[in-house]
Amino acid sequence: MDRTTRHSETRYGNRPTMKDVAARAGVGLKTVSRVVNSEPGVTPDTERRVQEAIDALGFRRNDSARVLRKGRTASIGLVLEDLADPFYGPLSRAVEEVARAHGALLINGSSAEDPEREQELVLALCARRVDGLIVIPAGDDHRYLEPEIKAGIATVFVDRPAGRVDADMVLSDSFGGSREGVAHLIAHGHRRIGFIGDQPRIHTATERLRGYHAAITDAGITVEDSWVSLGSTEPGRVRAAAEAMLGGPEPVTALFAGNNRVTVTAVRVIAERDRPVALVGFDDIELADLLGITVISQDAAAVGRTAAEHLFRRLDGADHAPARVELPTTLIPRGSGELPPA
């Protein structure tokens, strides 16, 4: 074996143990354990020698066995739809802050809006013995989680309800927010309002469409089929839908965008046109304040924080019936939603 191979094995293959620390410091194993776990019964001089040995060896305490002896792993899992979606950044950060306050580690994963991938990821986290789960559902049947919930894994669903299981859930008021946004356009003179949303199997998409219809009905307006388009939020699909609504002899005069990704494409399409088009988007987007985009804003951080707080209350023994918390949205007028019909 050459020197390079031996160096590689030493560098990557052998973590220092408490026995190594004890040998270097010239103390017993129990003494090292007391220092590592901040227990009393060690003199300052001995503690200094042990700490110097720890620093010299690069020793790190193995928490796995310690937390498993307590029956908890001090970790929770967060399954998101898409880690790149701006909505999930503040949500994830808020969950992480609550977890940190409870001495727990957060493990993130993305389902990519695929129900099979969601199930695979959730069960992988369960296999790693996380204490609890926060899940943004991709699917509509979560009975696969029943054995895990019965085994004591606390679970909170976020943004969308759980499918066919009873569990805590924290949602934003998608229906009310959408209704308010469309009513805002109507109040500024619009009677031909297009709605572009996400896929119809997604709870938030159908709730926002329901809010759109409620506002339109309240105003006594009859919706034309060509005013509504649900589907992928891929830019090409959204662009085609927006251009179809804004073209022809009787185009819509305003658009309601069902989420932040739709809003971004709608802004680009509107910017290419000669006449002004009013726009309200559900979810805030980066630079929306500078671009003057009127939005229905969700407090993503509040959603994440509320979900995490519910989760840790369950982990601390709360045994009440599954709770449904629905947080309000906020209309932020910035100019695009206040434009009158051309």
Side-chain angles (χ1 to χ4, degrees), residues 190-207:
H190 296 277
R191 293 296 181 271
R192 299 178 63 83
I193 302 169
F195 177 94
I196 305 176
D198 211 330
Q199 301 181 63
R201 64 178 176 79
I202 297 174
H203 171 79
T204 50
T206 58
E207 282 296 284

Side-chain angles (χ1 to χ4, degrees), residues 60-301:
R60 293 291 179 270
R61 181 177 67 182
N62 181 357
D63 282 340
S64 299
R66 184 175 62 90
V67 296
L68 284 172
R69 284 196 298 271
K70 296 180 178 180
R72 297 270 287 270
T73 61
S75 62
I76 64 170
L78 172 60
V79 179
L80 304 168
E81 173 201 342
D82 181 358
L83 292 170
D85 189 317
F87 175 73
Y88 295 122
L91 187 154
S92 177
R93 178 64 181 270
V95 172
E96 185 174 25
E97 288 301 315
V98 175
R100 185 169 178 265
H102 285 80
L105 177 69
L106 177 66
I107 305 172
N108 280 340
S110 173
S111 70
E113 203 64 73
D114 180 346
E116 290 186 5
R117 182 167 170 176
E118 173 212 297
Q119 180 174 342
E120 177 184 326
L121 181 55
V122 166
L123 292 180
L125 289 167
C126 291
R128 283 159 177 76
R129 301 282 298 275
V130 294
D131 299 322
L133 291 165
I134 296 176
V135 181
I136 288 86
D140 56 7
D141 186 349
H142 294 92
R143 287 176 295 177
Y144 70 85
L145 257 174
E146 285 181 338
E148 311 299 335
I149 294 173
K150 288 178 181 177
I153 294 183
T155 305
V156 178
F157 288 85
V158 174
D159 195 40
R160 308 161 189 174
R164 307 178 75 175
V165 296
D166 291 327
D168 293 326
M169 62 186 75
V170 178
L171 317 172
S172 291
D173 184 8
S174 286
F175 169 78
S178 178
R179 187 176 192 172
E180 183 180 17
V182 176
H184 186 72
L185 290 168
I186 293 170
H188 284 81
H190 296 277
R191 293 296 181 271
R192 299 178 63 83
I193 302 169
F195 177 94
I196 305 176
D198 211 330
Q199 301 181 63
R201 64 178 176 79
I202 297 174
H203 171 79
T204 50
T206 58
E207 282 296 284
R208 292 168 196 175
L209 178 60
R210 194 167 68 87
Y212 164 85
H213 279 295
I216 293 285
T217 300
D218 290 345
I221 300 170
T222 301
V223 177
E224 295 182 14
D225 291 343
S226 60
W227 297 357
V228 175
S229 178
L230 296 181
S232 163
T233 57
E234 189 273 325
R237 202 286 300 182
V238 174
R239 171 176 285 277
E243 289 176 344
M245 292 180 190
L246 296 171
E250 292 186 294
V252 298
T253 61
L255 289 174
F256 186 85
N259 67 26
N260 51 11
R261 285 164 290 187
V262 174
T263 301
V264 169
T265 301
V267 168
R268 291 193 171 111
V269 172
I270 290 171
E272 297 167 1
R273 309 193 77 79
D274 295 331
R275 63 180 179 85
V277 178
L279 172 67
V280 174
F282 204 110
D283 288 336
D284 215 345
I285 61 172
E286 189 174 5
L287 301 182
D289 54 338
L290 296 178
L291 295 172
I293 308 300
T294 297
V295 299
I296 300 296
S297 177
Q298 303 182 79
D299 190 339

